[in-house]
Amino acid sequence: MQKFITLIISFLMFFILCVSFIVAAEDVEIALEAELASKIQKPMVIALPIDAKDAGGVETDEPSGGKYVWAPGPPVTGGGGSGFMEFKVDIPQDDTYAIWGRVIAWDGNSDSFWVTWMPADPEENPQQTDNVEFRWGVAGGGTWHWDRINHWLDGGTFDREWELEKGESILKIWTREDATMLDCLFITNNLAANEGGANVRLPEDDEREEQEGNIAVEPLEKISTTWGSIKNQY
Ligand SMILES: [Ca+2]
Ligand SMILES: [Ca+2]
């Protein structure tokens, strides 16, 4: 009988341990501004809402951080094939990741990018290889909306997943059709198919600062530290 009770208690403790582990494990969330990419290759450029109108389309609603990135072009005409934006992404743990993009796609000729994420993807230039594995069919819409990055294969469109190890990675979003717009990105190990389930959100100020490489010591903090150390001397 005692053995049985011990077994039950051990089992319960193991169960509680498992549950607390699951509850404690938080999702990885990395939110990035397109306009703060570490490299932007022309004709992709950083743009303001009014630039979309100047290019022959309509002014966009307010993007996160006031800006977005695109290869400028009028609606319907297509074009594309050169330029990219590149992000250095620090992966915090070995895991499987999804990416969401906040986008505008006016029409069927301005609704795609190429996407490669090294080292999970090879160092391939899809603008040259035309490899549909890396083709992102962007969800249409004239106002900012979230779209999970997919493969737009010849046989259908499927959400993409990347297996990455902890460490530095390089994410490249390449022009495929002019006028497709990217406001920001959200990377997560939560693979839920809808944006609510994946807790998709805009970048926060501290994330923008980190992207800018501008994490400086707050001057006020510096002063109070100095004052504190002076006081301590007396
Ligand atoms: Ca298209
Ligand atoms: Ca933005």
Side-chain angles (χ1 to χ4, degrees):
M1 186 63 186
Q2 186 145 14
K3 261 187 184 171
F4 180 71
I5 290 170
T6 313
L7 188 74
I8 292 288
I9 289 172
S10 316
F11 183 78
L12 274 175
M13 284 176 75
F14 178 71
F15 180 75
I16 288 165
L17 196 73
C18 288
V19 167
S20 55
F21 183 77
I22 289 165
V23 169
E26 283 182 21
D27 290 344
V28 173
E29 295 186 349
I30 303 168
L32 301 164
E33 289 289 357
E35 62 271 24
L36 298 178
S38 40
K39 196 189 280 181
I40 297 174
Q41 176 79 50
K42 283 186 175 178
M44 268 203 187
V45 287
I46 297 171
L48 299 169
I50 192 70
D51 296 334
K53 190 181 178 191
D54 291 344
V58 283
E59 186 170 340
T60 75
D61 52 322
E62 188 63 13
S64 168
K67 294 170 188 164
Y68 59 94
V69 174
W70 72 334
V76 185
T77 45
S82 61
F84 61 83
M85 58 191 118
E86 185 177 292
F87 303 84
K88 283 191 183 124
V89 186
D90 206 11
I91 299 297
Q93 64 190 53
D94 295 10
D95 218 326
T96 306
Y97 294 90
I99 312 176
W100 293 76
R102 194 163 184 251
V103 291
I104 285 179
W106 280 327
D107 54 67
N109 286 314
S110 53
D111 62 346
S112 65
F113 289 108
W114 299 107
V115 179
T116 54
W117 196 3
M118 282 73 73
D121 291 331
E123 294 215 20
E124 182 174 322
N125 179 345
Q127 287 168 340
Q128 287 171 0
T129 61
D130 241 353
N131 187 343
V132 295
E133 282 293 327
F134 308 123
R135 185 171 60 178
W136 173 17
V138 173
T143 56
W144 296 114
H145 56 280
W146 287 105
D147 185 35
R148 181 156 163 196
I149 294 182
N150 57 52
H151 315 259
W152 167 27
L153 305 176
D154 294 332
T157 300
F158 308 95
D159 286 342
R160 283 191 75 185
E161 291 177 3
W162 291 263
E163 274 181 36
L164 283 152
E165 290 178 5
K166 179 179 161 68
E168 192 169 283
S169 69
I170 299 286
L171 172 62
K172 279 174 100 164
I173 313 281
W174 312 67
T175 315
R176 183 172 179 278
E177 289 170 303
D178 287 349
T180 317
M181 301 175 217
L182 184 70
D183 175 13
C184 44
L185 295 166
F186 183 78
I187 296 171
T188 180
N189 59 349
N190 179 332
L191 304 177
N194 60 72
E195 60 190 83
N199 302 314
V200 177
R201 60 166 177 79
L202 300 176
E204 289 166 1
D205 287 346
D206 58 330
E207 291 172 308
R208 284 196 196 96
E209 278 166 28
E210 195 174 329
Q211 240 187 310
E212 286 168 329
N214 275 347
I215 300 177
V217 179
E218 293 280 326
L220 269 177
E221 205 175 330
K222 225 174 181 175
I223 289 163
S224 63
T225 305
T226 311
W227 174 235
S229 24
I230 290 167
K231 269 201 301 195
N232 284 342
Q233 284 172 3
Y234 288 93

